[in-house]
Amino acid sequence: MAALTPISRTKPVFYLSVVAAFGALAGLFVGTAQGSGPLGIVIGAIAMAAVAFVLTTVISNERVGRLGLMLLMAIAGWMFGGIPGIVVGLAFGWFFAWLSYWLYEGRYRAKVPPYLTGGQVLWHYTFRVICGAIFIFLITPILVVMPLSFNAENFFTFTPEMLRFDPAGYSLKHYRDFFSNQDWQNAVRNSIRIAPAATLLSVGFGTLAAIGLSQPHMPFRRVIMAILISPMIVPLIISAAGMYFFYSRIGLQGTYLGVVLAHAALGIPFVIITVTATLVGFDNSLTRAAANMGASPVRTFFKVQMPLILPGVISGGLFAFITSFDEVVVVLFVGSAGQKTLPWQMFTGLREQISPTILAVATLLVGISICLLTTLEFLRRRSERLRGMSPS
Amino acid sequence: MSDVNDATTAKTAPTPDDGLKIADGPVLAADGTPLKKSLSRALRVQKLRALALVAPLLIFVLVTFIAPIADMLFRSVENEIVSETLPRTTDLLADWDAESGTPPGAPVFKALFKDIFEAQEAKLHTRLGSRLNYELTGVSSLFRKSGRKVEDMAEVYQDQFEKLDRFWKKGENWNTLMGSDAWNADMAGWDPKSDDKQPKFELRDGIDVFLPATSESFANYAKFTQVEDEDNLAKKDPWALVYSSLYDDLQRAEPVTFAGLKVAGAAELSEAASAVADFETVNFAEAFTKIDKDWQDVEVWRTIQAYSPRYTNGYFLNAIDMQKGADGPEMRPENQQIYLTLFWRTMVMSIVITVSCILLGYPVAWLLANLPARTANLLMILVLLPFWTSLLVRTSAWKVMLQHQGVVNETLVWLGIVATDDRLALINNQTGTIIAMTHILLPFMILPLYSVMATVPQTYLRAAKSLGATNWTAFWRVYFPQSVPGIGAGSILVFILSIGYYITPEIVGGTSGTFISNRIAYHISSSLNWGLGAALGAILLAAVLLLYYAYDKIVGIDNVKLGG
């Protein structure tokens, strides 16, 4: 966004005091970690105000000022806390240099409307910080798992070696364990055998039904829709209990087929929802045009309708796949030891003997979800382009 | 006035289809049928085609999903085990008056003896015991003990018959006496080592007139041996119960009547018939009381009587901490009430989770809806990545982070916020469940909120402010009301998902942070009280369906959006 407001340099009282306040906050943490909080506050406030003053009045070149401060803080950090200290110092240095110049040059005003009062600008940035904290809350668990999976020890926390970035603190042993352990490999094999079969079933039935549901003259649409969506709404534990009772009556409990059928039922709502959403913008005159030119209904379906709704079908399929691949409650009840899937293995691992191998598996699964997410986003854009909507 | 005028002008003025109307009444389609009929036929064909497309899936879902749910609901009221295991006892007990304060009479104890004897042969008495134990503690051991001892009661008769004549000792003699000639011939021709099926036992014609009780017991024994145990009937000796039945029959019958029975063993029967008068007998009521004095406890009999019907509301009463008392349903004693607390806790924690999702989701959704598209899409990845990450991965991440020695505690200690020996207990309690589930369900709040907020024009806020509203007024009076549908949709979604959650509470919830689902799972896989598990499930299902209905009314099922 271009600058909205012309900016000018601010008064020293303003920026020095704000930087000092941040310095006090940083000093509080460093101080408590080192032994004395109040002392840290005072030192932090004074030091950072001084730094800001020096940066803005003594050093004329901004780039030199920034690099200099980062270097200085890194050295200070190293003296306090070794290699992890350098990282913290670099981060602090970068932040305070940026903050000082940001405030001094009045850049914080550039991207907000000119009519905002000082309080409103403050709220604007406070709000951003709050949102940032929530984003961190959202993403941290995933980010923490990844480095921990390279832990050389069987601990679930960062060892001092890891914090020192000592290569000895890192290893691939949990990954090796995952790839060599028969239990885990069996679980992977089962997951790979079950998920695609379930996906195929739900996509096949689901696409047909979605086309039917999108016809203009569908009777009982609401009721049928409610029934078809219900596997998504009914709590998994209830589905699992019901399937356990019913499938053991008809001899499907503990069989591969039983698990596949159960997972297919769970995946169907996702296929229905995504495919009907794609069909909303479908131009029915296309099929009529095809019929007009002599194409049979089957040919029309595969040559005209299918390519247009394919993105929706694929993303529905991905949803169905991830539902089955990620599902644990139903397989826990409907399956037997022979159908132990990856999530099941993780679940028992978490409940009984928690081993860091789980973290390695988790990291691999995050990799898979990133691939899926990318594919889905790509498909969504393609679908919107095909249907003549502008990609958002 | 003008209407009349219009009508008259319409009548007189010529219209394009006048010619058609005059020509031949109704409008016709190309093939000569009336157009109306032809159109409705086309509509019907279209409807049928649409239904035909949906039908395979509908049948699939009905079989693989709806039928299991129906089965679960059925199990929550089904109670056939009592009347199936103790058929005679429950029949007789129907006439017993629990209010009388005295245990039922001798016939009931005799029926109980027969029922338990057959049940313990089939190993069903312990199952019945544990079923009734859900209703009255102690019944399980009562049935287990009695099952071990009923054999002794019957053997009193067996020993006396066998002492009287060696004839009664042999299974073959019994088979000849009780089985039909044709069946005996079949058995003789059957080779146990071959794959042929063992000839199915048939009672001798007319034997049930002479020996009704014995015929019944023997037929049960024969059927059980052949079908359940898959044993060779020719090699087995009958149950002791058969002897006690024989005693009953002989005592009743006139000795002379056996003369008409033309079969090997008629003579022994007559001999026994004259001897039974001197037999030592068993007083079943006393015998059972000797096994356990609880058999004289009216409460035990009342429980058996109360659970005799094939269908019961007992599981549902249990699920809301009630029980069948002497006069209708009553609350359980305070110290046995767990389910209402659990339902309440599930409710409260789900509300807390929903509220924290609103509090955390609202600012983020607002930011995403008001940022330029490019930045918003980038930030959206931070929301979608957790959404797409395996549930187990996120749960294990929280388990790792919240542990006593976990990342959160270590960081807090390192920062000096908490001392190293009073680390926060963040896991295996309600805090753990709330934190982890808020994180897991947050995307389900942000996505609907975002899709609603994206439709609210930003100019409204500016307009409000230019008219003199303060920031807060502009937000609260102008923006917030328009985002309420998003909050509603997100809240119901999060609430529905959270009250039925199982995995996360199971792993991070410990004992105080678990939900009703965990209890259902416990009853189904550990305590094997399936009926109670099903009843708890049915109540939970009812709550969810109610919310689902509300969601459908507010948002519409068709409007569920997945992943932005």
Side-chain angles (χ1 to χ4, degrees):
Chain A
M1 207 196 296
L4 290 173
T5 315
I7 53 172
S8 59
R9 294 190 167 173
T10 53
K11 292 199 192 85
V13 175
F14 167 69
Y15 70 82
L16 288 186
S17 52
V18 175
V19 174
F22 275 95
L25 189 67
L28 173 69
F29 285 124
V30 177
T32 40
Q34 300 293 333
S36 165
L39 195 65
I41 294 180
V42 176
I43 295 179
I46 295 173
M48 287 309 127
V51 160
F53 186 74
V54 171
L55 282 179
T56 49
T57 52
V58 180
I59 300 169
S60 53
N61 187 329
E62 186 181 331
R63 185 180 295 250
V64 173
R66 284 187 171 211
L67 287 179
L69 185 65
M70 280 166 75
L71 198 66
L72 206 68
M73 296 286 270
I75 292 170
W78 181 65
M79 282 172 12
F80 271 115
I83 293 178
I86 293 185
V87 178
V88 176
L90 277 177
F92 271 166
W94 174 83
F95 174 74
F96 278 103
W98 170 82
L99 184 72
S100 304
Y101 285 113
W102 191 63
L103 292 169
Y104 169 61
E105 301 280 358
R107 285 176 197 155
Y108 62 94
R109 273 273 183 189
K111 288 187 181 171
V112 296
Y115 50 79
L116 293 192
T117 62
Q120 285 171 332
V121 175
L122 179 65
W123 166 245
H124 178 85
Y125 287 107
T126 317
F127 184 76
R128 295 276 165 110
V129 170
I130 294 172
C131 288
I134 298 170
F135 279 121
I136 289 174
F137 171 71
L138 270 171
I139 208 75
T140 309
I142 296 170
L143 291 188
V144 165
V145 162
M146 291 190 183
L148 276 182
S149 69
F150 296 100
N151 199 334
E153 304 290 331
N154 286 343
F155 294 149
F156 288 97
T157 188
F158 291 98
T159 56
E161 290 82 17
M162 294 184 87
L163 291 174
R164 254 187 275 129
F165 300 106
D166 183 350
Y170 294 85
S171 88
L172 289 173
K173 71 179 224 187
H174 303 312
Y175 290 87
R176 266 197 300 278
D177 183 39
F178 169 69
F179 284 108
S180 58
N181 187 324
Q182 205 50 49
D183 286 349
W184 284 107
Q185 288 308 303
N186 279 340
V188 171
R189 207 166 303 128
N190 278 329
S191 277
I192 291 177
R193 275 178 64 219
I194 290 167
T199 310
L200 222 61
L201 270 179
S202 30
V203 169
F205 284 129
T207 310
L208 273 188
I211 292 172
L213 283 171
S214 305
Q215 303 277 320
H217 300 293
M218 179 69 205
F220 317 114
R221 190 201 307 268
R222 278 190 86 79
V223 181
I224 293 179
M225 197 74 176
I227 292 177
L228 297 185
I229 303 288
S230 60
M232 196 173 81
I233 302 294
V234 173
L236 277 175
I237 187 72
I238 294 179
S239 319
M243 284 170 171
Y244 176 67
F245 294 146
F246 186 70
Y247 287 12
S248 30
R249 267 189 219 270
I250 57 176
L252 280 176
Q253 202 271 334
T255 63
Y256 169 71
L257 183 65
V259 178
V260 168
L261 289 182
H263 277 183
L266 293 182
I268 277 166
F270 298 100
V271 178
I272 296 277
I273 289 173
T274 46
V275 179
T276 34
T278 327
L279 282 167
V280 166
F282 185 76
D283 185 356
N284 264 319
S285 56
L286 290 176
T287 50
R288 279 199 287 271
N292 205 4
M293 290 179 208
S296 67
V298 176
R299 195 179 162 83
T300 315
F301 176 75
F302 281 108
K303 289 279 172 187
V304 179
Q305 211 164 5
M306 198 61 192
L308 280 169
I309 63 169
L310 195 61
V313 173
I314 295 180
S315 58
L318 283 180
F319 268 106
F321 181 82
I322 202 81
T323 310
S324 166
F325 198 73
D326 198 16
E327 208 291 318
V328 50
V329 189
V330 168
V331 75
L332 212 55
F333 282 88
V334 175
S336 62
Q339 288 87 41
K340 203 166 201 174
T341 58
L342 200 52
W344 184 352
Q345 180 71 29
M346 287 182 82
F347 181 66
T348 35
L350 280 173
R351 216 161 46 160
E352 286 145 27
Q353 13 65 254
I354 175 160
S355 111
T357 311
I358 285 175
L359 298 183
V361 183
T363 309
L364 293 176
L365 287 181
V366 171
I368 293 179
S369 6
I370 292 176
C371 294
L372 280 179
L373 182 59
T374 323
T375 321
L376 265 184
E377 183 60 21
F378 170 76
L379 284 173
R380 191 175 63 90
R381 294 192 180 191
R382 184 182 156 80
S383 156
E384 285 179 354
R385 210 168 49 238
L386 278 178
R387 290 187 291 151
M389 297 177 177
S390 63
S392 63
Chain B
M1 277 307 276
S2 66
D3 281 349
V4 175
N5 274 342
D6 282 351
T8 46
T9 45
K11 209 170 256 175
T12 49
T15 56
D17 59 341
D18 270 1
L20 273 173
K21 276 183 194 161
I22 294 158
D24 43 1
V27 186
L28 295 183
D31 58 354
T33 49
L35 186 60
K36 203 172 168 188
K37 207 164 151 194
S38 174
L39 276 177
S40 73
R41 189 196 298 145
L43 192 66
R44 204 160 54 239
V45 170
Q46 274 188 336
K47 277 186 182 175
L48 279 179
R49 190 187 300 147
L51 266 185
L53 284 170
V54 178
L57 181 68
L58 197 61
I59 293 167
F60 181 81
V61 171
L62 285 178
V63 171
T64 58
F65 188 78
I66 304 294
I69 300 288
D71 189 20
M72 189 202 72
L73 294 179
F74 173 67
R75 289 218 188 222
S76 66
V77 292
E78 184 239 50
N79 185 44
E80 287 175 348
I81 179 164
V82 181
S83 53
E84 264 174 16
T85 324
L86 305 174
R88 304 177 185 90
T89 318
T90 49
D91 267 359
L92 289 175
L93 261 187
D95 303 327
W96 175 66
D97 180 17
E99 301 296 316
S100 67
T102 50
V108 174
F109 275 102
K110 191 164 186 179
L112 182 72
F113 157 72
K114 287 186 176 178
D115 286 336
I116 293 196
F117 192 97
E118 280 177 10
Q120 61 93 21
E121 285 293 339
K123 312 253 180 317
L124 288 174
H125 66 299
T126 45
R127 257 183 56 201
L128 176 68
S130 32
R131 163 67 187 95
L132 288 174
N133 205 49
Y134 302 142
E135 316 299 342
L136 187 70
T137 25
V139 180
S140 178
S141 69
L142 187 62
F143 272 89
R144 224 179 15 252
K145 262 194 260 174
S146 310
R148 278 198 303 266
K149 300 271 176 66
V150 281
E151 189 96 37
D152 299 346
M153 298 187 204
E155 273 170 3
V156 172
Y157 296 104
Q158 186 176 5
D159 292 347
Q160 295 184 83
F161 275 109
E162 287 177 353
K163 220 166 78 189
L164 186 71
D165 196 318
R166 292 188 53 79
F167 173 84
W168 299 114
K169 241 181 186 161
K170 294 211 156 195
E172 298 92 41
N173 294 342
W174 274 103
N175 288 348
T176 342
L177 177 64
M178 304 303 294
S180 70
D181 291 334
W183 175 76
N184 272 310
D186 281 349
M187 276 305 270
W190 176 65
D191 176 13
K193 292 198 185 67
S194 70
D195 288 340
D196 299 338
K197 271 185 72 178
Q198 190 176 161
K200 197 167 157 244
F201 176 77
E202 280 171 25
L203 264 183
R204 174 175 293 281
D205 266 347
I207 190 87
D208 50 340
V209 179
F210 294 103
L211 305 169
T214 319
S215 304
E216 191 196 346
S217 306
F218 195 85
N220 282 346
Y221 147 74
K223 191 173 162 207
F224 183 81
T225 312
Q226 289 190 320
V227 179
E228 304 285 325
D229 279 2
E230 295 183 343
D231 262 337
N232 187 349
L233 193 55
K235 294 266 165 70
K236 299 283 277 189
D237 297 336
W239 293 340
L241 176 67
V242 175
Y243 293 91
S244 85
S245 303
L246 182 63
Y247 171 81
D248 291 345
D249 284 333
L250 293 181
Q251 214 195 11
R252 229 171 292 140
E254 293 295 316
V256 279
T257 51
F258 293 109
L261 201 63
K262 296 218 173 347
V263 64
E268 283 82 355
L269 262 181
S270 305
E271 178 200 348
S274 49
V276 285
D278 306 327
F279 270 20
E280 180 197 341
T281 58
V282 176
N283 181 334
F284 291 110
E286 272 174 21
F288 272 110
T289 317
K290 222 171 103 189
I291 295 171
D292 196 317
K293 61 175 173 7
D294 278 355
W295 282 117
Q296 290 298 327
D297 186 355
V298 181
E299 202 55 25
V300 170
W301 288 103
R302 205 181 53 72
T303 309
I304 296 178
Q305 191 188 34
Y307 289 91
S308 298
R310 301 175 76 79
Y311 299 100
T312 177
N313 58 1
Y315 291 121
F316 276 99
L317 290 179
N318 236 336
I320 50 171
D321 285 335
M322 293 175 88
Q323 61 187 7
K324 285 189 175 186
D327 24 73
E330 61 188 26
M331 291 306 287
R332 275 176 183 267
E334 285 285 328
N335 57 355
Q336 287 179 24
Q337 296 188 4
I338 44 172
Y339 297 111
L340 283 185
T341 331
L342 206 51
F343 272 116
W344 178 244
R345 185 205 288 165
T346 307
M347 220 53 162
V348 169
M349 283 178 66
S350 299
I351 290 172
V352 171
I353 290 164
T354 311
V355 170
S356 26
C357 278
I358 296 174
L359 290 181
L360 295 182
Y362 199 90
V364 167
W366 195 86
L367 189 73
L368 288 174
N370 288 291
L371 278 179
R374 189 167 289 275
T375 332
N377 274 348
L378 271 179
L379 288 178
M380 197 54 141
I381 292 176
L382 296 185
V383 178
L384 290 181
L385 186 59
F387 181 73
W388 275 96
T389 307
S390 165
L391 169 71
L392 264 303
V393 171
R394 286 183 283 165
T395 310
S396 38
W398 279 113
K399 177 146 187 166
V400 166
M401 285 175 59
L402 296 177
Q403 278 182 50
H404 198 64
Q405 307 284 337
V407 175
V408 171
N409 263 323
E410 290 285 325
T411 313
L412 291 178
V413 167
W414 184 69
L415 287 176
I417 294 174
V418 299
T420 183
D421 36 3
D422 54 22
R423 289 162 182 257
L424 305 178
L426 294 171
I427 204 166
N428 295 337
N429 55 20
Q430 302 196 355
T431 324
T433 309
I434 289 173
I435 295 178
M437 283 189 52
T438 302
H439 176 259
I440 286 166
L441 297 176
L442 192 50
F444 290 97
M445 179 64 82
I446 294 178
L447 296 175
L449 263 178
Y450 169 74
S451 64
V452 169
M453 285 183 178
T455 63
V456 180
Q458 292 181 34
T459 43
Y460 286 9
L461 265 185
R462 268 182 247 153
K465 280 184 204 165
S466 77
L467 290 172
T470 61
N471 273 346
W472 173 250
T473 319
F475 167 75
W476 186 246
R477 303 282 299 276
V478 176
Y479 196 89
F480 184 76
Q482 299 186 73
S483 66
V484 165
I487 298 183
S491 305
I492 295 185
L493 197 59
V494 169
F495 192 79
I496 286 182
L497 288 171
S498 79
I499 59 171
Y501 237 67
Y502 168 64
I503 295 295
T504 310
E506 180 75 22
I507 289 174
V508 299
T511 48
S512 69
T514 48
F515 283 5
I516 199 74
S517 330
N518 303 84
R519 202 69 197 172
I520 296 176
Y522 165 77
H523 279 308
I524 288 167
S525 55
S526 306
S527 84
L528 302 185
N529 189 352
W530 288 2
L532 181 56
L536 290 172
I539 295 176
L540 181 61
L541 182 66
V544 168
L545 287 185
L546 203 70
L547 288 166
Y548 179 35
Y549 177 76
Y551 185 83
D552 188 27
K553 283 279 162 227
I554 298 172
V555 195
I557 316 166
D558 313 29
N559 295 335
V560 182
K561 288 223 172 66
L562 296 168

